[in-house]
Amino acid sequence: MWGMLLLCISKSFSLAVAQQEARLVFYNAMMRERQLTLIRAQQQQLTHMTATQKNFFLKVTHELRTPLNSILHCVHTARDETHTMQMRADVSKEAEEDTRSMDAVQGELDTIEVGAQLILTLTNNLLELARQEHTHALAQKQTHTHAHSHARTPTHNLAGG
């Protein structure tokens, strides 16, 4: 009789352990699925944010580069014209006042050109940074996607089966 009782208790205990293991396996699978869903949502959000940032930088840099290139073109045109005027003044030996005035204009053109070149360099650096960040974000996304695709391997129960 004691043997039968012990056998019943042992079977009940084994059944309770198996049920607990099944609950843990189910809970682990459910939690893994929740984590994967969160990771996917975060990846989509990161992808959207990266694309938005890239588009922003592309638009801003385009909006800066176009007028800066126009300014630089005007500087070069004005410099050519003042150089031509200075050569005419040298040939005709006109007043020194015109030469001083042209030197002042050349100085102002130099200032404009240096400022425009600095802003253009900054704009180009921003554009390059946006490209690098976009490339980096894509590489990270591929790495995360690859790593999490391996996370879907079957979960084994605690009894080792």
Side-chain angles (χ1 to χ4, degrees):
M1 173 169 185
W2 287 106
M4 193 64 125
L5 182 61
L6 284 175
L7 184 61
C8 265
I9 291 172
S10 176
K11 284 187 179 184
S12 294
F13 182 73
S14 294
L15 183 62
V17 168
Q19 287 174 341
Q20 187 63 27
E21 286 178 352
R23 282 189 207 112
L24 286 173
V25 167
F26 176 74
Y27 177 78
N28 285 340
M30 190 173 69
M31 291 306 291
R32 181 173 289 120
E33 194 58 39
R34 280 185 184 170
Q35 288 173 339
L36 289 173
T37 300
L38 276 172
I39 289 168
R40 284 186 207 109
Q42 289 172 345
Q43 285 176 338
Q44 287 176 346
Q45 185 179 16
L46 178 63
T47 301
H48 176 72
M49 289 172 54
T50 301
T52 301
Q53 180 186 24
K54 181 183 176 192
N55 287 336
F56 171 77
F57 277 120
L58 287 173
K59 288 177 183 176
V60 166
T61 54
H62 175 74
E63 292 301 320
L64 288 171
R65 289 174 70 168
T66 300
L68 285 171
N69 283 321
S70 296
I71 291 169
L72 290 172
H73 176 74
C74 290
V75 166
H76 292 293
T77 301
R79 186 164 293 177
D80 289 343
E81 287 180 18
T82 56
H83 180 69
T84 302
M85 291 171 62
Q86 193 167 21
M87 287 176 54
R88 285 185 194 147
D90 288 343
V91 169
S92 64
K93 302 291 180 196
E94 292 181 4
E96 273 186 44
E97 202 172 294
D98 288 341
T99 304
R100 276 191 241 133
S101 174
M102 282 186 261
D103 288 342
V105 169
Q106 286 290 351
E108 291 170 4
L109 289 173
D110 289 343
T111 302
I112 292 169
E113 183 177 28
V114 168
Q117 286 289 357
L118 286 172
I119 294 171
L120 188 58
T121 300
L122 176 64
T123 302
N124 288 336
N125 290 344
L126 284 173
L127 182 60
E128 183 59 29
L129 178 65
R131 285 183 184 141
Q132 289 174 359
E133 285 185 9
H134 181 70
T135 302
H136 179 71
L138 288 177
Q140 277 188 330
K141 180 182 176 187
Q142 289 173 349
T143 302
H144 287 299
T145 301
H146 180 71
H148 293 297
S149 68
H150 293 293
R152 292 184 180 201
T153 56
T155 305
H156 299 290
N157 66 23
L158 296 177

